[in-house]
Amino acid sequence: MDPLTEVISLLQPRTVFSKGISGAGAWAVRYSDFGFPSFCAVLEGSCLLAVDGQDPVTLQAGDFILLPATPGFTMSGFDKITPQLIDSKAAALVTGEIRHGRTEGPADVRLLGGYFEFNSPDSALLVSLMPGIVHLRQSKSLPVLVGLINDECKSALAGQDLVLSRLVEVLLIEALRSTATEQAPPGLLRGLADERVALAIREIHRDPARSWTVAAMAQLSALSRTAFFQRFSRTVGVLPMEYLLRWRMALAKDLLRRLDIGLTEVADRTGYQSASAFSTAFSRHTGQSPSSYAKENRLGKYQ
C-alpha cells in the first residue's frame, strides 16, 4: 500500500449519510462545529462557503468540498443577511432534502452533501495529517461518486454498509490525492508531493519496524541530515521522528484492536526491541497501557 491508502484504510470510514441541499433568494446558515468528516458536491448554481479558520470560497457547479473534521462554517447566497444558527448534530438527523431561504420556485443552488464516521479511535491523529479543507473545481469523478453514495443511501439493498464504506474510501483517496501538491498546507499530502520527502515517507510506511534515524531518512532522500530535517518538518508539519512515532502508534493501535497477539509481536512489528520498551512508549503516547487499550477497543467485544 502507498502511505495515503494506508492512512485511509486505518481510518475505516463507515456509517454514511447523504442528502440534497438547496437554497434560493436571500439565505445564510451558520452550522456549529460538527467534528465528523463531511463532503459536498455542487450540482448547479453557486453559493458562498466560509469555514472557520479558512479563507471564504465561492462554490460553483462542479465543485467538490471535503472537510475531514468539519469545524463550524457558514453557507449562504450572495445577499448580506444575518445567518440562521443551526445545530449540526440535530440537522444531521433530518432526512430528505434541506431547503434554505425561499421555499417556492426554483433553487439558486443545488448540492448533494453528506457525512460519515471514522471507525478508528485514532482518527484525530490521522486527520491531523490532512488539510482542513479540500476544495476541487470541475472534478469529473467526485460528483459522480457523491451521486453514487446518495443513491446507495436511499436504497435498502443487501451489503449497503460495505458498498458505502468502499465508495467513501474511493472518494477520500480521489479527493486527497488530487490535493497532493506543493501548494497544499503542511501535512502528509504536501510531503508526498515533495519528491525527496516522499521517498522517506514511503519507506517509513513500507518498513516501520526498521531502526530509523534522521540520518537514514536523509540518506534515502539524497539530502544532508540538516536539509532533510528542515524540509521534512516544513512540508509535513511535524518532525521526522515524531511522524515515525505517530505512524508506529497508529499501527500498534490497529494491531491491538484487530488481532489477539502478544505484546512482543506488536513490538516487533512496530520497531521496538522488547515488549517493555513498546509498552513504555505506548503508555507515554496514549496515556494507557497496551493491554488496557486492547480491552477497551478490541473489535467485536460487544458482538
Side-chain angles (χ1 to χ4, degrees):
M1 285 189 183
D2 68 275
L4 180 57
T5 303
E6 279 193 301
V7 168
I8 291 173
S9 295
L10 283 189
L11 284 169
Q12 301 169 43
R14 63 175 181 85
T15 315
V16 187
F17 300 92
S18 179
K19 67 184 70 176
I21 306 165
S22 62
W27 65 279
V29 289
R30 167 70 185 174
Y31 281 84
S32 60
D33 175 76
F34 186 47
F36 294 111
S38 61
F39 57 89
C40 177
V42 185
L43 303 181
E44 60 183 56
S46 58
C47 65
L48 296 174
L49 174 67
V51 178
D52 291 358
Q54 307 289 335
D55 294 330
V57 295
T58 298
L59 302 183
Q60 302 173 337
D63 283 11
F64 172 84
I65 289 286
L66 170 69
L67 302 175
T70 313
F73 66 90
T74 299
M75 185 176 286
S76 68
F78 296 93
D79 296 294
K80 292 186 179 296
I81 64 171
T82 302
Q84 174 190 356
L85 299 180
I86 295 179
D87 184 327
S88 295
K89 291 182 171 58
L93 302 176
V94 177
T95 58
E97 181 170 315
I98 297 177
R99 179 67 173 253
H100 299 302
R102 188 183 67 241
T103 57
E104 300 83 16
D108 297 326
V109 63
R110 291 181 57 247
L111 314 94
L112 275 180
Y115 74 95
F116 50 96
E117 300 175 11
F118 289 131
N119 198 35
S120 169
D122 207 30
S123 60
L125 184 153
L126 298 171
V127 168
S128 71
L129 299 172
M130 300 179 183
I133 179 173
V134 174
H135 178 203
L136 299 173
R137 295 195 180 277
Q138 299 301 316
S139 170
K140 294 182 179 179
S141 58
L142 287 166
V144 174
L145 284 168
V146 173
L148 290 172
I149 289 170
N150 189 63
D151 290 343
E152 188 65 29
C153 283
K154 293 177 181 178
S155 75
L157 300 176
Q160 182 189 60
D161 288 346
L162 180 60
V163 170
L164 285 171
S165 295
R166 293 296 179 264
L167 284 172
V168 170
E169 284 183 353
V170 175
L171 180 141
L172 281 169
I173 292 171
E174 181 65 21
L176 292 172
R177 71 182 179 185
S178 299
T179 316
T181 69
E182 294 183 357
Q183 286 70 48
L188 176 61
L189 301 181
R190 185 169 167 184
L192 291 175
D194 185 307
E195 60 180 12
R196 298 290 186 91
V197 173
L199 291 171
I201 292 175
R202 290 195 172 93
E203 281 302 303
I204 288 171
H205 281 252
R206 189 187 68 80
D207 188 10
R210 178 175 169 178
S211 297
W212 286 104
T213 63
V214 174
M217 297 178 193
Q219 185 176 18
L220 278 171
S221 301
L223 293 169
S224 70
R225 186 184 184 282
T226 300
F228 171 79
F229 182 88
Q230 294 175 344
R231 190 159 168 170
F232 189 103
S233 303
R234 183 176 64 252
T235 57
V236 183
V238 297
L239 303 180
M241 297 306 288
E242 175 65 19
Y243 182 87
L244 174 64
L245 173 64
R246 291 187 183 190
W247 184 242
R248 282 175 167 174
M249 291 297 105
L251 291 176
K253 287 182 176 181
D254 185 58
L255 290 170
L256 291 169
R257 292 175 68 234
R258 290 190 303 106
L259 304 177
D260 187 13
I261 58 177
L263 292 187
T264 299
E265 184 172 350
V266 177
D268 184 61
R269 293 193 189 189
T270 54
Y272 292 89
Q273 295 183 345
S274 67
S276 61
F278 165 71
S279 295
T280 299
F282 189 91
S283 300
R284 184 184 299 120
H285 184 79
T286 66
Q288 63 183 145
S289 68
S291 57
S292 296
Y293 179 87
K295 289 177 182 177
E296 291 181 12
N297 296 279
R298 182 65 51 79
L299 291 179
K301 70 172 185 171
Y302 297 119
Q303 297 175 359

